Amino acid sequence: MNQPTSHTATCIAIALLILGLGTAASAQAQWRVVDNAANTKLQDMNGRIGTTSANGNGNGTVNGNLRELYQQQVFESFNGNNDDSKAAPEPEEKLQHAQPTQSGVNMNADNRCKQASSGIAQQQYQLCREIVNTELAKYNYSLKMYDVTTQRQRYLDELKRQRGNIRSHEVGKLQDNTNRILLLMSQMEIDRQQQQTYMDAYVARIGYLQEASKTLAQQALDGKGDTSGGLGGIIGGAVGIGTLKLALDAVQSTRRN
């Protein structure tokens, strides 16, 4: 009785083993089908993303199109002598700080303004010095701002040269260069506005001082205010008054012209 039972069990075990092997083979075949589909999808994605070299063209791929976009933002080369990119020409007449004239004629406040000790003449003397000093300050500030502009231009040329050497795949360097150029452009605009503001202020101050000086002269002509001192001796007679009036008329004529 035990022998047939043992034979039966052996047969059942063999049958289960064969069935198990068949099931495993079917599962392996199914996984192989799934892997092939996934691989096809991955290959398609890789094709769309692209592996274009840094010097290649877009070819319709994502990476290629990005590289083309980067290449459009860099200079292929920079030539500082190119008429389209070179700086403005230098002025023909070179100017010196604190020296508006090169003739040797000294026309500072001490020479242009007649000193007086008191009265309207003293006030006129002070206003005259302020006018002369403001004119010189306006001149010197213009030259200083010219020097600053020249430095900004040299730095911009350097940034252009650096940008021309950036490769299309060097995104970080390209963005850094762009930021530097934008910052420089902003600073140059601030410089321009500052210079214009100061020039307007200088002109307004000179005009104000000239009007104040003319008003004092008119007051002296009308006999108002303290005319003691140097100016009093001039306007004490008819000749002095006539001379002062002619001077005022000349000033007014010059301002109208």
Side-chain angles (χ1 to χ4, degrees), residues 131-194:
I131 291 174
V132 174
N133 291 335
T134 303
E135 291 173 346
L136 185 59
K138 179 183 176 183
Y139 169 81
N140 287 334
Y141 187 72
S142 296
L143 293 185
K144 289 180 180 179
M145 293 306 296
Y146 171 77
D147 292 339
V148 170
T149 302
T150 302
Q151 294 175 5
R152 304 275 192 246
Q153 179 64 50
R154 285 197 293 264
Y155 183 44
L156 179 59
D157 289 344
E158 177 60 27
L159 291 176
K160 289 178 181 178
R161 281 187 286 269
Q162 292 178 6
R163 196 176 186 91
N165 294 326
I166 295 175
R167 301 178 64 186
S168 59
H169 67 283
E170 295 176 323
V171 185
K173 289 184 178 180
L174 179 63
Q175 187 61 52
D176 177 72
N177 183 272
T178 299
N179 292 340
R180 290 175 184 271
I181 290 178
L182 292 176
L183 180 61
L184 178 61
M185 293 175 62
S186 299
Q187 187 60 59
M188 292 175 70
E189 177 61 22
I190 293 174
D191 294 340
R192 186 193 66 80
Q193 293 183 10
Q194 178 176 316

Side-chain angles (χ1 to χ4, degrees), residues 29 46 85 106 111 185-186 247:
N46 288 334
S85 60
N106 190 357
N111 294 327
M185 293 175 62
S186 299

Side-chain angles (χ1 to χ4, degrees), residues 210-245:
Q210 288 176 339
E211 287 296 326
S213 180
K214 187 177 74 171
T215 301
L216 287 175
Q218 187 65 49
Q219 289 177 355
L221 187 64
D222 295 339
K224 299 178 181 179
D226 182 8
T227 60
S228 60
L231 188 62
I234 297 177
I235 66 173
V239 176
I241 294 176
T243 302
L244 181 58
K245 190 171 188 313

Side-chain angles (χ1 to χ4, degrees), residues 52-59 64 67-68 71 168:
T52 308
S53 64
N55 297 325
N57 53 27
N59 291 330
R67 290 192 179 97
E68 282 189 348
Q71 287 173 342
S168 59

Side-chain angles (χ1 to χ4, degrees), residues 28-95:
Q28 183 177 4
Q30 183 178 3
W31 277 109
R32 182 179 294 109
V33 173
V34 174
D35 287 344
N36 287 336
N39 288 334
T40 301
K41 288 292 184 181
L42 289 174
Q43 291 176 359
D44 182 60
M45 291 176 60
N46 288 334
R48 293 177 182 274
I49 294 175
T51 57
T52 308
S53 64
N55 297 325
N57 53 27
N59 291 330
T61 63
V62 175
N63 287 338
N65 289 335
L66 285 175
R67 290 192 179 97
E68 282 189 348
L69 179 62
Y70 298 147
Q71 287 173 342
Q72 294 172 6
Q73 300 181 62
V74 299
F75 299 116
E76 292 184 0
S77 62
F78 171 70
N79 182 3
N81 295 322
N82 191 313
D83 291 336
D84 295 331
S85 60
K86 68 180 181 181
E90 292 288 327
E92 295 183 3
E93 182 72 17
K94 293 292 185 179
L95 302 179

